[in-house]
Amino acid sequence: MIAPDKLFQLTPGQKRRKLALTFGELERDILGIAEPGLSYTFESMPRAEYTRAMAKIVLDDPKLPQPVREDISKLIQKEPLDELRVCNAARNALLAILGTFPAEWDLVIAPHASEKLTVEKREFFPGMCVYAEDIRSPFNVGSIFRTAEGLGCDKVYISPQCTDPEHPRAKRSSMGCIDTMGYTKCSLDELPEDKPIFTLETGGTALADFVFPKEGIVIIGSEELGVSPEALRKATYGTVTIPMTGLKASLNVGVAFGILMQAWVTARLNGLCRS
């Protein structure tokens, strides 16, 4: 981290980049996840005072949009200072000016209590499973695991051609849920035969009319092609469709899975599933 008075020696572009990096380091220190050697070390100045001083420098940036300047001004006037929110607002404002927007895996995420859980301790709805078929995006793979864990999915199965859940970007977007969920890699033919299998795809029964099985495996397909013809044949329980009215009528696969899981869980909790 840099002393506030030294920032004035930098060019505007250098100052913005250094400030953005500093706010990121501060966020990690506030959350207790600072990397070795990057924790807050200015003994002569409390961290909250340092954070406020750095934010005031951001307010002097002539390229800072007025609405953002007003928001940051309000944040630094509050007592006690919400250091984390000030850092986050200032850092993202600077990145916007620099034209550098953080990818999902670059975000500074607070540790979750769930990261201390093990697969054996997690709560879930027995028998509610998902099969991810050929999902290519690491972000989407991680998102599917996060939704599955958050909404109580029992197991995640992935196809051999699915992006490896151990990919750093998948693990990042999963928020640790890949570790708490675990997964089984298998082909369609290797899926358990003792549970109903259905697909999430267009051309099926509308979500509101679909009678979910109490236990089963839902197959979700690739971002580009949807579920395969082989998967449709495998899904003897049927196909569920999310009705849409937009011109594009298209949803991200992770978002679509989240909508389906919420409907499935609601049906199960209300005793509306077929045993």
Side-chain angles (χ1 to χ4, degrees):
M1 295 181 192
I2 188 171
D5 57 354
K6 290 186 178 181
L7 282 166
F8 294 100
Q9 303 171 16
L10 304 178
T11 65
Q14 290 176 321
K15 184 190 297 184
R16 292 179 187 118
R17 285 190 288 274
K18 186 60 180 178
L19 276 167
L21 289 171
T22 299
F23 282 119
E25 292 171 1
L26 279 170
E27 285 185 74
R28 290 178 173 83
D29 188 71
I30 294 165
L31 293 169
I33 56 174
E35 298 173 4
L38 294 179
S39 56
Y40 184 72
T41 56
F42 288 102
E43 296 181 359
S44 60
M45 182 184 295
R47 190 183 62 202
E49 183 181 335
Y50 177 85
T51 300
R52 185 177 274 116
M54 299 298 272
K56 287 180 178 178
I57 294 174
V58 176
L59 294 178
D60 291 333
D61 194 310
K63 290 191 175 182
L64 190 70
Q66 186 58 29
V68 179
R69 179 176 284 104
E70 292 173 1
D71 288 343
I72 295 177
S73 296
K74 291 177 182 177
L75 285 173
I76 64 175
Q77 290 171 19
K78 289 185 177 180
E79 290 290 353
L81 184 71
D82 188 337
E83 296 177 68
L84 190 60
R85 194 165 293 277
V86 170
C87 288
N88 188 263
R91 180 169 64 90
N92 285 311
L94 290 164
L95 291 176
I97 294 172
L98 290 166
T100 305
F101 296 92
E104 202 280 340
W105 52 88
D106 290 326
L107 301 180
V108 181
I109 305 296
H112 283 219
S114 61
E115 293 176 3
K116 300 178 182 179
L117 297 177
T118 64
V119 174
E120 292 75 16
K121 291 181 179 179
R122 62 176 295 267
E123 297 182 4
F124 56 87
F125 295 98
M128 291 178 65
C129 310
V130 59
Y131 182 77
E133 184 187 40
D134 302 350
I135 306 298
R136 309 296 187 184
S137 162
F139 173 83
N140 285 339
V141 168
S143 175
I144 288 164
F145 273 88
R146 186 173 176 181
T147 295
E149 205 285 330
L151 291 176
C153 200
D154 185 346
K155 294 180 180 179
V156 174
Y157 298 94
I158 64 171
S159 71
Q161 299 304 317
C162 203
T163 291
D164 188 352
E166 300 305 317
H167 188 291
R169 293 179 181 178
K171 292 180 74 69
R172 178 65 171 167
S173 65
S174 80
M175 292 285 287
C177 292
I178 289 172
D179 295 327
T180 58
M181 281 290 304
Y183 60 91
T184 299
K185 182 177 290 188
C186 65
S187 67
L188 283 167
D189 292 335
E190 294 172 320
L191 285 173
E193 299 288 346
D194 61 342
K195 289 182 175 59
I197 297 176
F198 61 102
T199 60
L200 174 60
E201 185 57 279
T202 59
T205 302
L207 187 65
D209 300 324
F210 189 78
V211 180
F212 288 95
K214 182 176 182 180
E215 298 185 10
I217 303 171
V218 59
I219 300 175
I220 54 178
S222 76
E223 300 90 342
E224 298 171 304
L225 303 175
V227 299
S228 67
E230 292 77 17
L232 289 171
R233 289 193 289 270
K234 186 78 173 179
T236 55
Y237 189 84
T239 295
V240 58
T241 297
I242 299 172
M244 289 176 279
T245 58
L247 294 175
K248 182 64 176 177
S250 175
L251 290 173
N252 170 274
V253 62
V255 172
F257 175 56
I259 293 171
L260 175 131
M261 274 301 298
Q262 178 59 42
W264 193 359
V265 168
T266 299
R268 180 153 172 169
L269 291 174
N270 291 330
L272 300 177
C273 291
R274 183 176 295 158
S275 299

